[in-house]
Amino acid sequence: MIDPAVKAQLFDLLHRHRATLKHRFGQNFLVDPVLRDLVAEAAGATEDDEVLEVGAGVGTLTIALAKRCRRLVAVELDRTLMPALREVAGGEPKIETVQADILRYDLAAAFPRGGEIVAGNIPYNLTGALLRKLLDRPPRPRRLSLVVQKEVAERWTAPTGASVATIAVQVFADARIVMTIPASAFEPVPGVDSALVSMEVRPQPAVDVDDLNAFLRFVEAVFQQRRKQLAGTLGRISGIGSTAAAARLRDADVDPERRPQTLSLAEWETVYTRFSSR
């Protein structure tokens, strides 16, 4: 249940620092204190852990996370929110507040050994790019615990390769939806519900390929024709034609009439291996 006092405190904080919420940044703050604490607890941080909070805003989740870890780096893009964030976090020495674009932030410098936990409430327009930023290269985090739109959460955790994002997540992590969060738990209230996704990052990528970036580019290229049958799409991409592509797929025990979103991660690895060299 939303506590009116929590909303009042949020608006008072914004007013005192002459800050306004910006739609282009997807700023929707979690103002249900019970759900906020559940999200913080689900991150699974202990007193030995370091945490990266993405999109700290005015600190509605920051303090709850900081109570559970050794060090917290709270990154926020909107410079107009930084005075409010620093006020909220000012009394906690373990919190480092950083005004930066997370997509340009030097994660290796902040967490040189990797193994951090990444938490936050992530705007829709950041989800795909953020995953690649966090997971493409070592040192990688140990866990991601992210609140995203429910639709995004369902794609990330789909059992088959429902999208490029699904494949990218499966390559690097074991993902599950922890809970759904209603739109009414946020201020301003977004148009859709959200969900908390927990991703346990794998020690090694789940596919054994010669070039991981080439593999992901291959998957992306095939998904650009997601409504087409695999034989036609792969025939065009590889330049060997649909008939030869169909034969190659059959040799790999993959039906050439299937579409990309039906393939499992193991099948993607097989298809990439068969078509990455002509």
Side-chain angles (χ1 to χ4, degrees):
M1 180 180 295
I2 303 299
D3 185 345
V6 175
K7 290 177 66 173
Q9 290 170 2
L10 170 64
F11 289 125
D12 176 66
L13 184 65
L14 292 169
H15 177 73
R16 284 189 289 104
H17 291 283
R18 300 179 181 179
T20 57
L21 302 184
K22 298 176 179 61
H23 178 73
R24 71 180 187 276
F25 289 158
Q27 292 170 339
N28 302 96
F29 299 143
L30 188 58
V31 291
D32 183 319
V34 174
L35 287 174
R36 176 203 62 206
D37 289 344
L38 288 174
V39 168
E41 186 67 25
T46 71
E47 60 184 14
D48 295 323
D49 283 312
E50 296 182 312
V51 174
L52 168 66
E53 183 186 6
V54 178
V58 296
T60 51
L61 183 60
T62 308
I63 296 298
L65 287 168
K67 291 177 180 178
R68 295 164 167 82
C69 66
R70 177 175 63 82
R71 172 185 176 231
L72 173 68
V73 179
V75 178
E76 171 55 45
L77 173 61
D78 187 354
R79 66 179 65 253
T80 66
L81 296 183
M82 292 304 294
L85 175 60
R86 291 186 179 117
E87 176 186 325
V88 171
E92 181 52 75
K94 68 174 70 172
I95 300 176
E96 304 168 26
T97 58
V98 179
Q99 191 277 310
D101 180 347
I102 189 62
L103 299 182
R104 299 182 178 183
Y105 184 60
D106 190 345
L107 294 174
F111 303 97
R113 295 186 298 275
E116 74 275 14
I117 294 172
V118 182
N121 175 27
I122 311 302
Y124 178 78
N125 60 1
L126 184 61
T127 52
L130 178 64
L131 280 186
R132 300 202 71 166
K133 167 73 173 181
L134 295 172
L135 299 177
D136 265 4
R137 298 179 181 84
R140 295 185 178 93
R142 175 164 64 89
R143 178 183 303 120
L144 310 183
S145 186
L146 304 175
V147 176
V148 295
Q149 284 191 4
K150 186 179 178 183
E151 178 186 348
V152 174
E154 290 169 345
R155 286 205 303 270
W156 282 357
T157 58
T160 58
S163 68
V164 177
T166 310
I167 297 301
V169 169
Q170 291 178 352
V171 166
F172 293 109
D174 181 19
R176 63 184 178 90
I177 294 177
V178 177
M179 62 180 173
T180 299
I181 303 175
S184 59
F186 297 88
E187 185 64 43
V189 178
V192 296
D193 290 340
S194 295
L196 174 62
V197 179
S198 178
M199 302 183 195
E200 296 295 327
V201 179
R202 305 181 193 280
Q204 298 294 330
V207 291
D208 183 14
V209 295
D210 55 353
D211 186 330
L212 198 53
N213 286 327
F215 170 78
L216 293 173
R217 289 195 300 270
F218 174 83
V219 172
E220 186 172 9
V222 176
F223 263 104
Q224 288 176 0
Q225 303 290 325
R226 63 180 296 128
R227 299 180 187 276
K228 304 292 186 181
Q229 294 180 358
L230 286 170
T233 300
L234 290 167
R236 285 188 294 274
I237 290 174
S238 63
I240 64 175
S242 60
T243 301
R248 195 174 291 185
L249 285 165
R250 290 191 192 97
D251 287 343
D253 292 326
V254 176
D255 185 344
E257 295 184 358
R258 289 173 65 182
R259 287 167 172 78
Q261 59 269 31
T262 69
L263 296 182
S264 68
L265 184 60
E267 288 174 323
W268 274 111
E269 179 180 341
T270 297
V271 170
Y272 169 76
T273 302
R274 294 298 181 101
F275 284 87
S276 59
S277 58
R278 299 181 184 176

